[in-house]
Amino acid sequence: MKLFKTLLAVSVGAAMAVSSVASAKTTIGFSQIGAESEWRTANTNDVKAAAEKHNVDLKFSDAQQKQENQIKAIRTFIAQKVDLIGFVPIVATGWDNILREAKRAKIPVLIMDRDLTVSDDSLYVAKIGTDSYTEGQKVFAWLDDYITKNNIKPRDGGDKINLVILEGTVGSSAATGRAHGFDDALKASPNKDKYNILASQTGDFTRQKGQEVMESFIKSYRDKIDVLFAHNDDMALGAIQSIEAAGLKPSKDIIIVSVDGVKGIFQAMIDGKANATVECNPLQGELFFETAEKILKGESVPKSVFVEEGVYTADQAAEVFPSRKY
Ligand code: AHR
């Protein structure tokens, strides 16, 4: 009987050991920028949901808009010996040292959403996310087409369509990519002489700063501004409040085009307060964890993978709105 009990204990113990090995979770450390926009919240929710679906032990850290907090979080993930580190680089530069630490610890790094610039590309395995440069190009393409097709004339009676631009976080690839994409498309356009940029200033991707900076643009150029290009929807939504407060009609007096495609801007388009949004897709969690699994299995992955992104205009907004996921 004693022998039977011992055998039973040994076999139960062995079974438990096997099952705990079988269910050992992959641990991934993920450093998110913060919660500056509706888009970012959707991105965070998607990452957390995908981590659960993939049965990953996710160590999530919110950097509250500070690069130094991201560096600290990555250093903590290294100390915790996580299997893989993921992060969204708030700005493009300043990552070499911490990524060298991760490399020395043999922890693979997978970048999400924004791009970074490092001296040695082997410091990270891959980047999955969005293509800000193309987004900027799409903004100009939509705008030029709209102005031409609708024969829009400058409000000040001059010969140039006057633009103001609300830029994203200074030094972020999302802001520089969108700015360069837009500028290059403008310079390459046969209509380039039709446009004049009155002012361009950062609104840090937030609604509040978008509102404040737009207010100051209106103070300086109230009767001149024909177009607002906002690097994200949240800043456009803030700007709409300033435009209305100044007694102007958003989308009519001032044409509004922004980037992201969040529900808030769809509602504004339905309400006749915005004209178009170029999608920047925050639903990157599935692709992130699929890619992470491949990396951890030793499979090769492409250096950059972009998610799909469309362009949506006010006349499609009501039809498309119910199917929007963020
Ligand atoms: O990096 C993506 C950008 O960051 C989104 O356009 C913006 O809303 C977010 O804060």
Side-chain angles (χ1 to χ4, degrees), residues 30 84-89 99 107-116 118 120-130 284 287-296 299-306:
F30 188 86
L84 180 140
I85 293 172
F87 77 105
V88 178
L99 293 187
I107 300 178
V109 174
L110 177 57
I111 309 298
M112 178 191 262
D113 173 28
R114 295 186 184 170
D115 295 298
L116 44 61
V118 278
D120 168 8
D121 270 358
S122 76
L123 290 175
Y124 66 97
V125 183
K127 180 242 164 164
I128 65 121
T130 57
Q284 302 170 18
L287 184 57
F288 178 86
F289 289 104
E290 268 174 20
T291 309
E293 276 167 8
K294 284 187 189 159
I295 293 170
L296 291 170
E299 292 173 21
S300 70
V301 296
K303 195 78 186 173
S304 299
V305 183
F306 296 123

Side-chain angles (χ1 to χ4, degrees), residues 197-270:
I197 298 175
L198 287 171
S200 184
Q201 203 179 307
T202 183
D204 214 8
F205 281 132
T206 71
R207 208 169 281 211
Q208 163 105 28
K209 289 207 183 123
Q211 180 179 357
E212 287 165 15
V213 177
M214 190 68 200
E215 196 179 307
S216 76
F217 286 161
I218 293 171
K219 273 193 190 122
S220 307
Y221 307 107
R222 193 185 186 288
D223 299 319
K224 283 181 91 66
I225 305 170
D226 299 302
V227 176
L228 164 67
F229 163 30
H231 282 186
N232 82 344
D233 291 343
D234 274 70
M235 292 189 292
L237 291 165
I240 288 170
Q241 293 177 33
S242 296
I243 294 168
E244 290 185 312
L248 294 166
K249 289 196 177 65
S251 95
K252 295 179 184 70
D253 294 326
I254 299 180
I255 294 160
I256 300 178
V257 54
S258 50
V259 181
D260 276 358
V262 296
K263 281 188 178 167
I265 206 74
F266 271 84
Q267 191 56 56
M269 290 196 284
I270 292 167

Side-chain angles (χ1 to χ4, degrees), residues 14-324:
M16 277 170 66
V18 167
S19 89
S20 86
V21 167
S23 67
K25 280 187 171 185
T26 299
T27 304
I28 294 187
F30 188 86
S31 167
Q32 178 59 285
I33 293 172
E36 73 283 4
S37 60
E38 204 177 317
W39 188 99
R40 185 64 55 200
T41 304
N43 179 243
T44 293
N45 292 342
D46 192 58
V47 167
K48 289 183 175 170
E52 266 195 57
K53 187 183 152 206
H54 284 256
N55 198 28
V56 162
D57 176 11
L58 183 72
K59 298 193 181 303
F60 183 90
S61 174
D62 176 337
Q64 315 220 328
Q65 309 299 318
K66 289 201 175 85
Q67 183 179 31
E68 71 212 55
N69 289 345
Q70 289 200 282
I71 291 173
K72 269 189 214 153
I74 295 171
R75 195 160 282 133
T76 305
F77 298 150
I78 295 170
Q80 291 170 332
K81 298 189 175 20
V82 299
D83 298 306
L84 180 140
I85 293 172
F87 77 105
V88 178
I90 184 160
V91 289
T93 56
W95 302 104
D96 282 65
N97 290 342
I98 190 69
L99 293 187
R100 265 189 220 113
E101 289 177 34
K103 194 175 179 183
R104 273 198 295 275
K106 298 193 171 36
I107 300 178
V109 174
L110 177 57
I111 309 298
M112 178 191 262
D113 173 28
R114 295 186 184 170
D115 295 298
L116 44 61
T117 310
V118 278
S119 56
D120 168 8
D121 270 358
S122 76
L123 290 175
Y124 66 97
V125 183
K127 180 242 164 164
I128 65 121
T130 57
D131 181 352
S132 313
Y133 184 82
T134 304
E135 289 160 2
Q137 288 181 308
K138 286 180 185 169
V139 169
F140 180 77
W142 174 83
L143 178 66
D144 191 40
D145 186 59
Y146 184 85
I147 298 275
T148 309
K149 280 196 182 134
N150 295 287
N151 196 21
I152 306 281
K153 298 286 176 220
R155 283 203 297 132
D156 67 357
D159 57 358
K160 298 227 188 244
I161 296 289
N162 287 305
L163 281 87
V164 291
I165 300 176
L166 284 169
E167 300 164 21
T169 301
V170 176
S172 69
S173 68
T176 53
R178 287 167 196 173
H180 289 150
F182 184 88
D183 287 352
D184 287 354
L186 169 63
K187 280 181 206 138
S189 164
N191 295 329
K192 62 176 184 289
D193 295 332
K194 203 157 76 175
Y195 298 98
N196 174 46
I197 298 175
L198 287 171
S200 184
Q201 203 179 307
T202 183
D204 214 8
F205 281 132
T206 71
R207 208 169 281 211
Q208 163 105 28
K209 289 207 183 123
Q211 180 179 357
E212 287 165 15
V213 177
M214 190 68 200
E215 196 179 307
S216 76
F217 286 161
I218 293 171
K219 273 193 190 122
S220 307
Y221 307 107
R222 193 185 186 288
D223 299 319
K224 283 181 91 66
I225 305 170
D226 299 302
V227 176
L228 164 67
F229 163 30
H231 282 186
N232 82 344
D233 291 343
D234 274 70
M235 292 189 292
L237 291 165
I240 288 170
Q241 293 177 33
S242 296
I243 294 168
E244 290 185 312
L248 294 166
K249 289 196 177 65
S251 95
K252 295 179 184 70
D253 294 326
I254 299 180
I255 294 160
I256 300 178
V257 54
S258 50
V259 181
D260 276 358
V262 296
K263 281 188 178 167
I265 206 74
F266 271 84
Q267 191 56 56
M269 290 196 284
I270 292 167
D271 297 342
K273 296 181 181 185
N275 303 77
T277 186
V278 168
E279 189 177 38
C280 171
N281 188 350
L283 308 179
Q284 302 170 18
E286 184 56 34
L287 184 57
F288 178 86
F289 289 104
E290 268 174 20
T291 309
E293 276 167 8
K294 284 187 189 159
I295 293 170
L296 291 170
K297 277 191 215 150
E299 292 173 21
S300 70
V301 296
K303 195 78 186 173
S304 299
V305 183
F306 296 123
V307 286
E308 281 194 25
E309 304 179 316
V311 178
Y312 297 98
T313 54
D315 51 354
Q316 308 165 314
E319 195 191 329
V320 174
F321 186 78
S323 64
R324 295 302 292 167

